[in-house]
Amino acid sequence: MMRTGWKVLALVGLSAVTTSCKGLNTATLTQALDKVNTFSVEAQRCEKMHADPGVQEEYALGGALAINFVRRGDGLLLSGPDDALHRYVNVVGKNLAAQSARPTLEWTFGVLRDTSQFNAMSAPGGYVFVTRKLLQGLENEGELAGVLAHEIAHVTLKHAIRQYGEAKVKTCTLVTLGESALPPSAVRLLSAGRDGDGSLDLDKDSGLLGYLSEKTIELIDKGNAKEQELEADRVAVELMLSAGYTPDDYLALLAKTTDGGGAFANHPGKDERRDNILAHVQALKQPDGAFRGLATEGLRSPPLSPAFAAVRGGSSARGVAKDGK
């Protein structure tokens, strides 16, 4: 690490200043080198913070990120007819999450008031949000399922957890080198994690939680790696099939997006994503055309709930089922 290199040069330079006229002050140099070695060993311990956190730490981080998403998304749609929409999105989302590799997370789905960004996002611990703008572009429940399944996949694949790990390691290294302005309580907590198994009890220090959340958000805003997005698409397809939705609806939604914009600003191009999804669906099929462990019969593309009228401005909006249908 470049910062560590500068620290070494500074310490060696300090030892040169203390050299006596008769020769090198070996005691001072030895002390300086010992200090450098100590810094190096402690900094290496920070690497253990790349490991997956425990569920309590994940929930603390996810909750903080969720608050950030809600604030930036102009708040949640929850009152009046919007409450029915919120419940509907949770039913669809939790059904998909139950098919995932992490069904026991306390999954929470929410609709943000944001009418300017065609966007969806997720946070560790099972938080998934979609914007009102995105919902306004959906034609049926299958498209909604595709969006939610993609974000569920990011959570189960722990993509944000990897970004959080990067933030933890960098912050720990800065603290070790004495280059962090964090308060003493946060420094003690980080040092304990460095000297322990790498985990942090974020509930003990709201300041550290806020700091690491901000650093993680900065990484999230830069976007996931290309392969992570393609991987999330593949898992999303499997979740949709498990829940009985046809992946064609997800492909239909992707076809309506614009490369490099909105929720897909940092994603691979939609043509590449389409090819990736189609190849994965084909790979999931048995020689006789059936899906492994799944039945192709009954795959459906149901209409949206009447609750969707809350974001469409009326029950006559496209794709919205009438009451009782």
Side-chain angles (χ1 to χ4, degrees):
M1 180 178 290
M2 185 173 292
R3 288 182 179 275
T4 304
W6 283 112
K7 180 70 71 172
V8 172
L9 291 176
L11 290 172
V12 172
L14 178 61
S15 69
V17 172
T18 59
T19 303
S20 67
C21 296
K22 296 181 179 180
L24 185 67
N25 186 331
T26 57
T28 301
L29 179 59
T30 298
Q31 291 175 359
L33 292 176
D34 286 343
K35 190 172 183 179
V36 169
N37 289 333
T38 298
F39 275 127
S40 177
V41 170
E42 291 181 349
Q44 287 177 2
R45 290 178 185 168
C46 291
E47 291 297 323
K48 70 180 66 174
M49 291 190 172
H50 270 306
D52 289 348
V55 174
Q56 181 180 1
E57 185 176 353
E58 180 177 355
Y59 278 139
L61 172 69
L65 296 184
I67 291 172
N68 183 287
F69 291 152
V70 171
R71 185 176 66 248
R72 296 199 300 183
D74 299 328
L76 288 170
L77 287 172
L78 286 175
S79 60
D82 299 331
D83 185 56
L85 173 68
H86 175 79
R87 291 196 303 271
Y88 170 60
V89 171
N90 270 268
V91 168
V92 175
K94 290 183 179 182
N95 180 35
L96 289 161
Q99 320 298 323
S100 77
R102 306 189 70 190
T104 59
L105 284 179
E106 296 177 4
W107 292 93
T108 302
F109 299 83
V111 179
L112 303 177
R113 295 183 180 277
D114 189 348
T115 57
S116 62
Q117 299 295 318
F118 188 91
N119 207 353
M121 61 217 71
S122 56
Y127 293 93
V128 175
F129 298 98
V130 291
T131 64
R132 181 170 183 167
K133 175 70 172 180
L134 185 146
L135 294 187
Q136 289 172 341
L138 301 182
E139 298 287 344
N140 55 52
E141 188 175 295
E143 292 184 1
L144 172 63
V147 172
L148 297 180
H150 181 85
E151 295 305 325
I152 290 169
H154 277 308
V155 175
T156 60
L157 293 168
K158 301 184 178 181
H159 290 157
I161 289 292
R162 306 287 175 261
Q163 294 161 322
Y164 170 59
E166 292 179 26
K168 284 173 69 177
V169 171
K170 182 176 181 180
T171 302
C172 175
T173 302
L174 292 175
V175 165
T176 299
L177 297 177
E179 298 180 10
S180 171
L182 286 172
S185 59
V187 170
R188 287 194 296 270
L189 193 58
L190 270 169
S191 299
R194 177 196 64 202
D195 299 333
D197 61 3
S199 63
L200 298 176
D201 187 351
L202 295 176
D203 292 324
K204 287 186 175 180
D205 196 296
S206 59
L208 180 60
L209 173 58
Y211 178 86
L212 290 175
S213 298
E214 289 178 3
K215 296 302 178 183
T216 304
I217 285 288
E218 290 175 6
L219 295 174
I220 290 175
D221 285 344
K222 292 179 180 178
N224 293 306
K226 175 180 176 180
E227 181 49 42
Q228 287 179 324
E229 290 298 335
L230 295 175
E231 183 182 25
D233 277 342
R234 293 191 292 270
V235 172
V237 165
E238 295 177 13
L239 293 177
M240 291 185 72
L241 289 169
S242 296
Y245 295 103
T246 172
D248 291 344
D249 287 336
Y250 190 27
L251 291 172
L253 177 64
L254 290 178
K256 292 185 290 186
T257 63
T258 301
D259 288 340
F264 307 101
N266 297 300
H267 291 196
K270 61 183 179 182
D271 288 341
E272 183 176 3
R273 295 181 70 187
R274 178 180 181 276
D275 291 344
N276 172 62
I277 290 171
L278 289 175
H280 190 57
V281 169
Q282 188 61 37
L284 289 171
K285 290 182 178 180
Q286 298 283 19
D288 62 359
F291 291 102
R292 294 198 300 265
L294 299 168
T296 54
E297 299 86 0
L299 290 181
R300 63 196 194 282
S301 180
L304 293 162
S305 163
F308 241 74
V311 297
R312 293 286 177 76
S315 59
S316 62
R318 68 190 185 283
V320 177
K322 294 181 180 180
D323 290 330
K325 297 294 183 66

